[in-house]
Amino acid sequence: MRIKIVLVLCLLAVGRGMLGQAAPASSQEEFIKSHYAKFEYRIPMRDGVKLFVSVYTPLAGAFKDPGPYPFLMTRTPYSCAPYGEDQMPKRLGPSEDLLESGYIFVCGDARGRFESEGVFQEMNSHIDDKKSNKDVDESTDMYDTVEFLLKHVENNNGKVGITGISYPGFYTSASIIDSHPAIKAASPQAPMTDLFFNDDAYHGGAFMLSANYGFYIFFKPQKNPTLPDKGEYSEPSGPDSYKFYLKAGPTENLDKRFDGTNFLFHDQLVHTTYDDYWKKRNLSVHMKNVHAAVMTVGGWFDAEDLSGPFKTFHAIDEFNPGAVNTLVVGPWTHGGWARADGDRLGDVTFNSKTSLFFREQIQFPFFEHYLKGHDGGVLPKAYVFETGSNVWKKYDAWPPKSAAAKTLYFHDGGKLSFDAPTESAGVDEYVSDPAHPVPFVGYTTDTVPQRYMDDDQRFASRRPDVLTYETDPLTEDVTIAGPVRPKLKVASTGTDADFVVKLIDVYPNDYPDPPADAVGKRVLGAAPVLMGGYEQLVRGEPMRAKFRDSWEKPTALTPGKMVEVNSEMPDVNHTFRAGHRIMVQVQSSWFPLIDRNPQTFVDIPFAKPAQFVKATESVYRNAGAASGVEVLVVPQH
């Protein structure tokens, strides 16, 4: 849900999944005005609270299809602006194809946000056992909304679809639990699902610092009903976020900047263990009685909600045997499938317009099939883009049934291989200094650039506090599909430590460079991108060592004592091509993407400056104490 914004209204549009159209805004705005009418309703819920919706209905005679039409709805905490029945939006719906096909589009303000009454709660908990009409959640709110719309909006065909990206993806998932029978299709896209585990808030027990502070500067509690603030967005950290967050000191100081006005940020920051605050916000354990056809969508390079799509997909399978349940994942950033072409990210290209393909060939037929009865919308169990080889793959399960677990082991001299170490002794060491943390990108930035997810890691390889292991050039393609599981044997001179593990694709030295105006000593302008030896990040995640045995009850490290630190990264689907190398990097900071570990066992937001200390980190790599990364390898056919 934490999305970089140029204007506040851009955030609102992205959150609703409404930036996905190829047509210029002006032409689409004219199409909306000439083809749709707008109505606004304040719909009473079973507890008496009224929730706001904007409804856009096809004008009589505007489409070849005279109707009746299905509903396609999104619930959002980011506003359904513009408000007023005479005010039409510049964009509408998840894609231009769906807009031009003719649907009754509905945007609903979430409970307690903007024009909806009630009290907003971060990821409102689902109530399994409802005892009265006072027990309301997102499922009941959607049920009551659908009941109202079916009765009060003319020319509807009795079928409802729900979709949304990020926070609206959460509302989509929550709305199909114990769902209204009219809800026939749903597409949770990048859904927030379990914030403590690799979605927005924490990764491996480490707080996602820059993204969260940048988001909550603007996402604040409201007194409702209220209209959106039309002020322009500016980054909170100035031109150099690395310097800003380092100077800020312990993260408690960032909380103090709000002066008690934003409990939403405060709650995220201070709940540093997997306590009841997080457990009751884990939606995946409630995904029961799902009756709609579901297409869950995610991106391999989603910097916000990376694990949510996989947890949602697997939970629906677990609790709803036989349900129509599909996973679609492409080479996209957060919501990238809904806008632009999806043919590249940063320096890495994918050789096709993957986002356009998704909108036209996957999403459009899905809703047309389940909401209008058209042919062609039945999808495979998993429809995923394979990076590296840059091809779409269809599987009857995810991860693929043929994928087998193998471990990439660390060896002497920075070697990496699938062979276990045989040496009787072996350890690599580095000094981690919280005063000089390893940056997460090799350039100055004022935010969390989405491109960091596949950025070049050569800058990190040059640091003395980063361990680097790599294979020999591959003699054949190696495809890795599914979760990535680091398994480390480590020790520290501190009482806590982070271990950031990165899986990297190293390009051959003769890999062709993109066109450039000048190379060599004649470079006078911006530095050219040299792709030979490029170290593309495929997946990287931190693991906070104090959570090695329990997410609820962290324990200190004993200085000098070896322990196992195992973790699980979100899934990948990547082919390391023949001639490339597989690399793994290990480091103990990733700043300011994650907060700094003081390397002293302490509640980190409230650490004192003196508790931030240097520590020597040891990573073992011998027969009795082997470290490596377990991956699922798909056989080459």
Side-chain angles (χ1 to χ4, degrees), residues 219-263:
F219 194 77
K220 300 177 180 179
Q222 296 178 340
K223 293 182 179 179
N224 298 83
T226 187
L227 295 175
D229 180 1
K230 296 183 179 180
E232 292 192 359
Y233 172 88
S234 62
E235 291 289 349
S237 62
D240 190 337
S241 61
Y242 185 96
K243 287 184 177 179
F244 171 82
Y245 288 106
L246 195 60
K247 185 178 180 180
T251 48
E252 178 189 29
N253 294 336
L254 296 173
D255 192 28
K256 290 178 180 178
R257 286 172 171 259
F258 289 107
D259 196 24
T261 62
N262 195 338
F263 67 86

Side-chain angles (χ1 to χ4, degrees), residues 36 62 249 309 329 439 466 586 595:
Y36 287 89
V329 190
V466 176
V586 181
D595 60 336

Side-chain angles (χ1 to χ4, degrees), residues 155 225 229 287 442 466 495 510 587:
N155 204 23
D229 180 1
M287 297 301 302
V466 176
T495 52
D510 61 355
Q587 59 200 57

Side-chain angles (χ1 to χ4, degrees), residues 408 484 501-504 536-539 576 582-584:
L408 287 159
V484 177
V501 177
K502 296 184 286 185
L503 180 66
I504 295 164
Q536 179 198 333
L537 182 64
V538 175
R539 182 66 75 237
F576 297 82
I582 303 175
M583 176 184 284
V584 172

